[in-house]
Amino acid sequence: MSELKRYKCPACGGTLEFDSGSQQLKCPYCDTIVDIQSVVGKEEPQKPPQTAEADSEGDQDGLSSYICPSCGGQMVVTDTTGASSCPFCGAPQIVPNKFEGFLKPDLLVPFKFDRKAVKNQYFEHLKGKHFLPRVFRSENHISETRGVYVPFWLFSSRVDMTMRFRCEKKRRWEDANYRYVEHKYYDVYRRGHQSFEDVPADGSEHIPDDLMESIEPYSPADSVEYDPAYLSGFLAHTYDVPAEKVEPRALARMQGSTEDSIRSTVTGYDSVSCTSKEAEFSKTAHRYALFPVWILNTIWNSQRFIFAMNGQTGRFVGNLPLDTARYRLWFGISTILYTLLFIAIWFAYLASEQSGML
Protein backbone atom coordinates (compact mmCIF):
# COMPACT_ATOMS: atom_id res chain seq x y z
CA MET A 1 0.00 0.00 0.00
CA SER A 2 1.38 3.43 -1.00
CA GLU A 3 2.04 5.82 1.87
CA LEU A 4 1.98 9.57 1.66
CA LYS A 5 4.94 11.38 3.15
CA ARG A 6 5.50 14.85 4.52
CA TYR A 7 8.17 16.75 6.44
CA LYS A 8 7.03 18.07 9.82
CA CYS A 9 8.27 21.37 11.23
CA PRO A 10 10.24 20.71 14.43
CA ALA A 11 8.91 23.95 15.94
CA CYS A 12 5.16 23.92 15.26
CA GLY A 13 4.39 20.60 13.60
CA GLY A 14 3.33 22.18 10.29
CA THR A 15 4.36 20.73 6.95
CA LEU A 16 7.69 21.97 5.61
CA GLU A 17 7.93 23.14 2.01
CA PHE A 18 10.93 23.59 -0.25
CA ASP A 19 11.89 27.29 -0.32
CA SER A 20 13.46 28.48 -3.57
CA GLY A 21 15.08 31.49 -1.89
CA SER A 22 17.05 29.65 0.77
CA GLN A 23 17.17 26.31 -1.11
CA GLN A 24 16.13 24.72 2.19
CA LEU A 25 12.89 23.46 3.71
CA LYS A 26 10.79 26.19 5.30
CA CYS A 27 7.66 26.17 7.43
CA PRO A 28 4.96 28.45 5.93
CA TYR A 29 3.43 28.92 9.38
CA CYS A 30 6.32 29.86 11.69
CA ASP A 31 9.08 30.48 9.07
CA THR A 32 11.39 27.88 10.62
CA ILE A 33 14.12 26.86 8.15
CA VAL A 34 15.45 23.31 8.16
CA ASP A 35 18.62 22.27 6.36
CA ILE A 36 17.42 20.07 3.53
CA GLN A 37 20.48 17.85 3.81
CA SER A 38 19.44 16.94 7.32
CA VAL A 39 16.24 15.31 6.06
CA VAL A 40 17.39 13.88 2.74
CA GLY A 41 16.61 10.21 2.81
CA LYS A 42 15.14 10.46 6.31
CA GLU A 43 11.49 11.30 5.62
CA GLU A 44 9.06 9.33 7.78
CA PRO A 45 5.90 7.81 6.35
CA GLN A 46 2.64 8.94 7.88
CA LYS A 47 -0.03 6.62 9.22
CA PRO A 48 -2.71 4.99 7.18
CA PRO A 49 -2.97 7.31 4.19
CA GLN A 50 -5.01 4.38 2.91
CA THR A 51 -6.57 4.29 -0.45
CA ALA A 52 -10.25 5.22 -0.41
CA GLU A 53 -13.08 2.72 -0.06
CA ALA A 54 -13.83 0.47 -2.99
CA ASP A 55 -17.06 2.27 -3.84
CA SER A 56 -15.37 5.70 -3.79
CA GLU A 57 -15.40 7.80 -6.93
CA GLY A 58 -11.61 7.88 -6.64
CA ASP A 59 -11.37 4.22 -7.57
CA GLN A 60 -11.30 4.75 -11.31
CA ASP A 61 -8.80 3.77 -13.96
CA GLY A 62 -5.82 6.14 -13.87
CA LEU A 63 -6.72 7.61 -10.47
CA SER A 64 -5.72 6.87 -6.91
CA SER A 65 -7.18 8.33 -3.71
CA TYR A 66 -5.55 8.78 -0.31
CA ILE A 67 -6.49 10.11 3.10
CA CYS A 68 -4.61 13.32 3.97
CA PRO A 69 -2.71 12.70 7.23
CA SER A 70 -3.00 16.38 8.12
CA CYS A 71 -6.79 16.87 8.01
CA GLY A 72 -8.32 13.52 7.06
CA GLY A 73 -9.65 14.79 3.75
CA GLN A 74 -9.61 12.64 0.64
CA MET A 75 -7.00 13.34 -2.03
CA VAL A 76 -7.55 12.03 -5.55
CA VAL A 77 -4.54 12.07 -7.86
CA THR A 78 -3.58 10.60 -11.21
CA ASP A 79 -1.35 7.56 -11.35
CA THR A 80 1.52 9.73 -12.63
CA THR A 81 1.31 12.21 -9.72
CA GLY A 82 4.23 11.94 -7.30
CA ALA A 83 3.62 15.11 -5.28
CA SER A 84 0.58 17.28 -4.72
CA SER A 85 -1.30 19.11 -1.98
CA CYS A 86 -4.49 18.42 -0.09
CA PRO A 87 -7.44 20.26 -1.69
CA PHE A 88 -8.92 20.88 1.78
CA CYS A 89 -6.05 22.02 4.01
CA GLY A 90 -3.41 22.72 1.35
CA ALA A 91 -0.77 20.61 3.12
CA PRO A 92 1.92 19.31 0.71
CA GLN A 93 1.92 15.51 0.39
CA ILE A 94 4.35 13.22 -1.42
CA VAL A 95 3.83 9.76 -2.89
CA PRO A 96 7.50 8.72 -3.03
CA ASN A 97 6.97 5.24 -4.48
CA LYS A 98 5.95 6.97 -7.70
CA PHE A 99 9.61 7.85 -8.19
CA GLU A 100 11.18 4.53 -7.28
CA GLY A 101 12.89 1.93 -9.42
CA PHE A 102 13.00 2.80 -13.13
CA LEU A 103 10.79 5.84 -12.42
CA LYS A 104 13.42 7.43 -10.17
CA PRO A 105 14.91 10.51 -11.88
CA ASP A 106 18.63 10.63 -12.50
CA LEU A 107 18.68 14.27 -11.47
CA LEU A 108 16.49 17.15 -10.36
CA VAL A 109 16.86 20.91 -10.85
CA PRO A 110 15.34 22.73 -7.84
CA PHE A 111 13.14 25.81 -8.15
CA LYS A 112 15.16 29.05 -8.08
CA PHE A 113 12.14 31.40 -8.33
CA ASP A 114 9.12 31.62 -6.06
CA ARG A 115 5.49 32.60 -6.64
CA LYS A 116 6.25 36.31 -6.11
CA ALA A 117 8.77 36.20 -8.95
CA VAL A 118 6.17 34.55 -11.18
CA LYS A 119 3.76 37.40 -10.44
CA ASN A 120 6.39 40.00 -11.33
CA GLN A 121 7.30 38.24 -14.56
CA TYR A 122 3.65 37.87 -15.49
CA PHE A 123 3.01 41.61 -15.23
CA GLU A 124 6.24 42.33 -17.10
CA HIS A 125 4.87 40.11 -19.85
CA LEU A 126 1.71 42.25 -20.01
CA LYS A 127 3.54 45.55 -20.46
CA GLY A 128 2.87 47.22 -23.79
CA LYS A 129 -0.18 45.03 -24.48
CA HIS A 130 -2.66 47.92 -24.75
CA PHE A 131 -5.54 45.89 -26.16
CA LEU A 132 -5.32 43.04 -23.69
CA PRO A 133 -8.63 42.07 -22.02
CA ARG A 134 -8.72 43.68 -18.56
CA VAL A 135 -9.37 40.34 -16.85
CA PHE A 136 -5.78 39.30 -17.60
CA ARG A 137 -4.50 42.09 -15.37
CA SER A 138 -6.48 40.76 -12.41
CA GLU A 139 -4.63 39.46 -9.38
CA ASN A 140 -7.00 36.48 -9.32
CA HIS A 141 -5.11 34.85 -12.17
CA ILE A 142 -1.91 34.82 -10.16
CA SER A 143 -3.53 32.61 -7.52
CA GLU A 144 -3.97 29.91 -10.17
CA THR A 145 -0.23 29.57 -10.68
CA ARG A 146 1.24 26.20 -9.76
CA GLY A 147 4.83 25.09 -9.48
CA VAL A 148 5.32 21.77 -11.25
CA TYR A 149 8.26 19.44 -11.63
CA VAL A 150 7.91 18.35 -15.25
CA PRO A 151 9.52 15.08 -16.39
CA PHE A 152 12.14 15.51 -19.12
CA TRP A 153 14.31 13.15 -21.09
CA LEU A 154 17.83 14.47 -21.72
CA PHE A 155 19.52 13.10 -24.84
CA SER A 156 23.19 13.10 -25.79
CA SER A 157 24.59 12.08 -29.15
CA ARG A 158 27.22 12.78 -31.81
CA VAL A 159 25.91 13.87 -35.22
CA ASP A 160 28.04 13.26 -38.32
CA MET A 161 26.61 15.28 -41.19
CA THR A 162 27.24 15.34 -44.91
CA MET A 163 25.67 18.08 -47.04
CA ARG A 164 25.82 19.08 -50.69
CA PHE A 165 24.89 22.48 -52.04
CA ARG A 166 24.20 24.05 -55.42
CA CYS A 167 25.64 27.56 -55.32
CA GLU A 168 25.55 30.44 -57.76
CA LYS A 169 27.63 33.55 -58.34
CA LYS A 170 26.49 36.42 -60.53
CA ARG A 171 28.57 39.07 -62.26
CA ARG A 172 26.96 42.06 -63.96
CA TRP A 173 28.40 44.64 -66.34
CA GLU A 174 27.31 46.70 -69.32
CA ASP A 175 28.62 48.53 -72.32
CA ALA A 176 27.16 51.10 -74.63
CA ASN A 177 24.78 48.60 -76.21
CA TYR A 178 24.04 45.80 -73.73
CA ARG A 179 23.78 44.76 -70.14
CA TYR A 180 25.38 41.45 -69.25
CA VAL A 181 24.83 38.93 -66.47
CA GLU A 182 27.25 36.04 -66.02
CA HIS A 183 26.07 33.01 -64.00
CA LYS A 184 28.55 30.58 -62.52
CA TYR A 185 27.40 27.45 -60.66
CA TYR A 186 29.32 25.44 -58.10
CA ASP A 187 28.77 22.12 -56.41
CA VAL A 188 29.86 22.52 -52.79
CA TYR A 189 30.48 19.62 -50.41
CA ARG A 190 30.66 19.83 -46.66
CA ARG A 191 31.16 17.24 -43.94
CA GLY A 192 31.30 17.85 -40.22
CA HIS A 193 30.16 16.68 -36.82
CA GLN A 194 28.83 18.07 -33.55
CA SER A 195 28.38 16.50 -30.14
CA PHE A 196 25.37 17.32 -27.98
CA GLU A 197 24.71 16.80 -24.30
CA ASP A 198 21.41 16.90 -22.44
CA VAL A 199 19.10 18.04 -25.24
CA PRO A 200 15.71 18.10 -23.45
CA ALA A 201 12.37 16.66 -24.53
CA ASP A 202 9.47 16.68 -22.09
CA GLY A 203 8.09 13.30 -21.11
CA SER A 204 4.51 14.38 -20.36
CA GLU A 205 1.77 14.04 -22.92
CA HIS A 206 -0.37 16.58 -21.04
CA ILE A 207 2.01 19.53 -21.55
CA PRO A 208 2.51 21.11 -25.01
CA ASP A 209 5.98 20.38 -26.38
CA ASP A 210 6.33 23.81 -27.98
CA LEU A 211 5.54 25.50 -24.67
CA MET A 212 8.28 23.57 -22.88
CA GLU A 213 10.80 24.22 -25.66
CA SER A 214 10.03 27.95 -25.56
CA ILE A 215 11.17 28.31 -21.92
CA GLU A 216 14.51 26.56 -22.47
CA PRO A 217 17.33 26.34 -21.70
CA TYR A 218 17.86 24.51 -18.43
CA SER A 219 21.26 23.92 -16.89
CA PRO A 220 21.68 20.37 -15.58
CA ALA A 221 24.94 21.59 -14.02
CA ASP A 222 22.80 23.09 -11.23
CA SER A 223 21.01 19.81 -10.60
CA VAL A 224 20.95 17.75 -7.41
CA GLU A 225 20.47 14.08 -6.75
CA TYR A 226 16.79 13.31 -6.59
CA ASP A 227 15.17 13.27 -3.16
CA PRO A 228 11.45 13.70 -2.38
CA ALA A 229 12.25 16.57 0.01
CA TYR A 230 12.67 18.87 -2.99
CA LEU A 231 9.10 18.10 -4.10
CA SER A 232 7.42 19.36 -0.92
CA GLY A 233 5.08 22.23 -1.76
CA PHE A 234 5.01 21.55 -5.50
CA LEU A 235 3.28 19.27 -7.97
CA ALA A 236 5.38 16.54 -9.52
CA HIS A 237 4.60 13.99 -12.19
CA THR A 238 6.34 10.91 -13.50
CA TYR A 239 6.77 10.54 -17.24
CA ASP A 240 3.99 9.00 -19.29
CA VAL A 241 5.86 9.22 -22.60
CA PRO A 242 8.81 6.81 -22.87
CA ALA A 243 12.22 7.95 -24.05
CA GLU A 244 11.96 5.92 -27.24
CA LYS A 245 8.94 7.93 -28.35
CA VAL A 246 10.48 11.38 -27.89
CA GLU A 247 14.00 10.48 -29.02
CA PRO A 248 13.28 11.27 -32.72
CA ARG A 249 12.26 14.81 -31.75
CA ALA A 250 15.47 15.36 -29.81
CA LEU A 251 17.62 13.93 -32.61
CA ALA A 252 15.82 16.12 -35.14
CA ARG A 253 16.74 19.18 -33.06
CA MET A 254 20.38 18.07 -33.00
CA GLN A 255 20.36 17.51 -36.75
CA GLY A 256 18.81 20.92 -37.40
CA SER A 257 21.46 22.64 -35.31
CA THR A 258 24.24 20.75 -37.11
CA GLU A 259 22.76 21.67 -40.49
CA ASP A 260 22.68 25.35 -39.53
CA SER A 261 26.33 25.22 -38.43
CA ILE A 262 27.46 23.59 -41.67
CA ARG A 263 25.31 25.91 -43.79
CA SER A 264 26.95 28.93 -42.14
CA THR A 265 30.32 27.87 -43.64
CA VAL A 266 29.05 28.15 -47.22
CA THR A 267 29.64 31.84 -47.92
CA GLY A 268 30.59 34.11 -50.79
CA TYR A 269 27.76 33.10 -53.11
CA ASP A 270 24.70 34.97 -54.32
CA SER A 271 22.43 31.97 -53.75
CA VAL A 272 22.80 28.67 -51.95
CA SER A 273 20.46 25.69 -51.99
CA CYS A 274 20.93 22.32 -50.33
CA THR A 275 20.64 19.40 -52.74
CA SER A 276 21.24 16.51 -50.33
CA LYS A 277 22.03 15.77 -46.71
CA GLU A 278 22.82 12.71 -44.66
CA ALA A 279 23.04 12.41 -40.89
CA GLU A 280 24.46 9.62 -38.76
CA PHE A 281 24.02 9.43 -34.99
CA SER A 282 26.36 7.64 -32.62
CA LYS A 283 26.94 7.31 -28.88
CA THR A 284 23.29 8.18 -28.29
CA ALA A 285 22.23 8.02 -24.65
CA HIS A 286 19.56 9.49 -22.40
CA ARG A 287 18.80 10.18 -18.79
CA TYR A 288 15.70 11.16 -16.84
CA ALA A 289 15.25 14.52 -15.08
CA LEU A 290 12.69 16.65 -13.27
CA PHE A 291 12.77 20.33 -14.26
CA PRO A 292 10.96 23.18 -12.44
CA VAL A 293 8.15 24.95 -14.30
CA TRP A 294 5.63 27.52 -13.12
CA ILE A 295 2.37 27.13 -15.05
CA LEU A 296 -0.58 29.51 -15.19
CA ASN A 297 -3.85 28.47 -16.81
CA THR A 298 -6.70 30.87 -17.48
CA ILE A 299 -9.87 30.79 -19.57
CA TRP A 300 -11.27 33.75 -21.51
CA ASN A 301 -14.16 33.61 -23.98
CA SER A 302 -14.19 29.80 -23.70
CA GLN A 303 -10.54 29.66 -24.77
CA ARG A 304 -7.77 28.28 -22.60
CA PHE A 305 -4.55 30.26 -22.33
CA ILE A 306 -1.40 28.73 -20.84
CA PHE A 307 1.60 30.67 -19.55
CA ALA A 308 4.82 29.07 -18.37
CA MET A 309 7.95 30.24 -16.58
CA ASN A 310 11.25 28.43 -16.32
CA GLY A 311 11.66 27.83 -12.58
CA GLN A 312 15.45 27.93 -12.92
CA THR A 313 16.06 30.93 -15.21
CA GLY A 314 12.82 32.96 -14.93
CA ARG A 315 12.11 32.93 -18.67
CA PHE A 316 8.37 33.62 -19.12
CA VAL A 317 6.27 32.84 -22.21
CA GLY A 318 2.62 32.73 -23.16
CA ASN A 319 0.22 33.92 -25.86
CA LEU A 320 -2.18 36.76 -25.11
CA PRO A 321 -5.54 37.48 -26.76
CA LEU A 322 -6.69 40.70 -28.39
CA ASP A 323 -9.73 42.47 -26.98
CA THR A 324 -11.35 43.10 -30.37
CA ALA A 325 -14.08 45.35 -28.92
CA ARG A 326 -11.49 47.72 -27.42
CA TYR A 327 -9.39 47.57 -30.57
CA ARG A 328 -12.35 48.46 -32.80
CA LEU A 329 -13.33 51.29 -30.45
CA TRP A 330 -9.77 52.65 -30.51
CA PHE A 331 -9.60 52.29 -34.29
CA GLY A 332 -12.94 54.06 -34.75
CA ILE A 333 -12.01 56.95 -32.44
CA SER A 334 -8.59 57.28 -34.09
CA THR A 335 -10.18 57.35 -37.53
CA ILE A 336 -12.61 60.09 -36.48
CA LEU A 337 -9.85 62.16 -34.87
CA TYR A 338 -7.58 61.87 -37.90
CA THR A 339 -10.49 62.78 -40.16
CA LEU A 340 -11.33 65.87 -38.09
CA LEU A 341 -7.65 66.83 -38.07
CA PHE A 342 -7.46 66.51 -41.85
CA ILE A 343 -10.61 68.62 -42.28
CA ALA A 344 -9.23 71.30 -39.95
CA ILE A 345 -5.95 71.41 -41.87
CA TRP A 346 -7.80 71.57 -45.18
CA PHE A 347 -10.00 74.47 -44.08
CA ALA A 348 -6.96 76.27 -42.68
CA TYR A 349 -5.27 75.83 -46.05
CA LEU A 350 -8.30 77.19 -47.91
CA ALA A 351 -8.48 80.15 -45.55
CA SER A 352 -4.82 80.95 -46.12
CA GLU A 353 -5.32 80.72 -49.90
CA GLN A 354 -8.27 83.09 -49.78
CA SER A 355 -6.42 85.58 -47.60
CA GLY A 356 -3.53 85.46 -50.05
CA MET A 357 -5.82 86.24 -52.98
CA LEU A 358 -7.19 89.28 -51.17
Side-chain angles (χ1 to χ4, degrees), residues 80 150-151 202-209 238-242 245-246:
T80 60
V150 177
D202 76 86
S204 173
E205 64 179 8
H206 304 292
I207 299 180
D209 297 334
T238 62
Y239 68 85
D240 51 14
V241 180
K245 187 173 181 179
V246 297

Coordinates of all heavy atoms in Angstrom, one line a residue, residues 80 150-151 202-209 238-242 245-246:
T80 N 0.2 9.2 -12.3 CA 1.5 9.7 -12.6 C 1.9 10.8 -11.6 O 3.0 11.4 -11.7 CB 1.6 10.3 -14.1 OG1 0.6 11.4 -14.2 CG2 1.3 9.2 -15.1
V150 N 8.3 19.0 -14.0 CA 7.9 18.3 -15.2 C 9.0 17.3 -15.6 O 10.2 17.6 -15.5 CB 7.8 19.4 -16.4 CG1 7.4 18.7 -17.7 CG2 6.7 20.4 -16.0
P151 N 8.5 16.1 -16.0 CA 9.5 15.1 -16.4 C 10.1 15.4 -17.8 O 9.4 15.7 -18.7 CB 8.7 13.8 -16.4 CG 7.3 14.3 -16.7 CD 7.2 15.6 -16.0
D202 N 10.3 17.0 -23.2 CA 9.5 16.7 -22.1 C 8.8 15.3 -22.2 O 8.4 14.9 -23.3 CB 8.4 17.8 -21.9 CG 7.3 17.8 -22.8 OD1 6.3 17.0 -22.6 OD2 7.4 18.5 -23.9
G203 N 8.6 14.7 -21.1 CA 8.1 13.3 -21.1 C 6.6 13.2 -20.6 O 6.2 12.2 -20.2
S204 N 5.9 14.4 -20.8 CA 4.5 14.4 -20.4 C 3.6 14.7 -21.6 O 3.9 15.7 -22.3 CB 4.3 15.4 -19.3 OG 2.9 15.6 -19.0
E205 N 2.7 13.8 -21.8 CA 1.8 14.0 -22.9 C 0.7 15.1 -22.6 O 0.0 15.5 -23.5 CB 1.1 12.7 -23.3 CG 0.1 12.2 -22.2 CD -0.6 10.9 -22.7 OE1 -0.2 10.4 -23.7 OE2 -1.5 10.5 -21.9
H206 N 0.6 15.6 -21.4 CA -0.4 16.6 -21.0 C 0.1 18.0 -21.2 O -0.6 19.0 -21.0 CB -0.8 16.3 -19.6 CG -1.4 15.0 -19.4 ND1 -2.5 14.5 -19.9 CD2 -0.9 13.9 -18.6 CE1 -2.8 13.3 -19.5 NE2 -1.7 12.9 -18.8
I207 N 1.4 18.2 -21.4 CA 2.0 19.5 -21.5 C 2.5 19.7 -23.0 O 3.2 18.9 -23.5 CB 3.2 19.7 -20.6 CG1 2.7 19.5 -19.1 CG2 3.8 21.1 -20.7 CD1 3.7 19.7 -18.1
P208 N 2.1 20.9 -23.6 CA 2.5 21.1 -25.0 C 4.0 21.2 -25.2 O 4.7 21.8 -24.4 CB 1.9 22.5 -25.3 CG 0.8 22.6 -24.3 CD 1.2 21.9 -23.1
D209 N 4.5 20.4 -26.2 CA 6.0 20.4 -26.4 C 6.5 21.8 -26.7 O 7.6 22.1 -26.3 CB 6.3 19.4 -27.5 CG 5.9 18.0 -27.2 OD1 5.8 17.7 -26.0 OD2 5.6 17.2 -28.1
T238 N 5.4 11.8 -12.8 CA 6.3 10.9 -13.5 C 6.1 11.0 -15.0 O 5.0 11.5 -15.4 CB 6.1 9.5 -13.0 OG1 4.8 9.1 -13.3 CG2 6.3 9.3 -11.5
Y239 N 7.0 10.5 -15.8 CA 6.8 10.5 -17.2 C 5.7 9.6 -17.6 O 5.5 8.5 -17.0 CB 8.1 10.2 -18.0 CG 8.6 8.8 -17.8 CD1 8.1 7.8 -18.7 CD2 9.5 8.5 -16.9 CE1 8.6 6.5 -18.6 CE2 10.0 7.2 -16.7 CZ 9.5 6.2 -17.6 OH 10.0 4.9 -17.5
D240 N 4.9 9.9 -18.7 CA 4.0 9.0 -19.3 C 4.3 8.8 -20.8 O 3.5 8.2 -21.5 CB 2.5 9.4 -19.1 CG 2.3 10.9 -19.5 OD1 3.1 11.5 -20.1 OD2 1.2 11.4 -19.1
V241 N 5.4 9.4 -21.2 CA 5.9 9.2 -22.6 C 7.3 8.6 -22.5 O 8.2 9.3 -22.0 CB 5.9 10.5 -23.4 CG1 6.4 10.3 -24.8 CG2 4.5 11.2 -23.4
P242 N 7.5 7.4 -23.0 CA 8.8 6.8 -22.9 C 9.9 7.5 -23.7 O 9.6 8.2 -24.7 CB 8.6 5.4 -23.4 CG 7.4 5.5 -24.3 CD 6.5 6.6 -23.7
K245 N 9.9 7.2 -27.6 CA 8.9 7.9 -28.3 C 9.4 9.4 -28.6 O 9.1 9.9 -29.7 CB 7.6 7.9 -27.6 CG 6.4 8.5 -28.5 CD 5.1 8.3 -27.8 CE 4.0 8.9 -28.6 NZ 2.7 8.7 -27.9
V246 N 10.1 10.0 -27.7 CA 10.5 11.4 -27.9 C 11.9 11.5 -28.4 O 12.3 12.6 -28.8 CB 10.4 12.2 -26.6 CG1 8.9 12.2 -26.1 CG2 11.3 11.6 -25.5

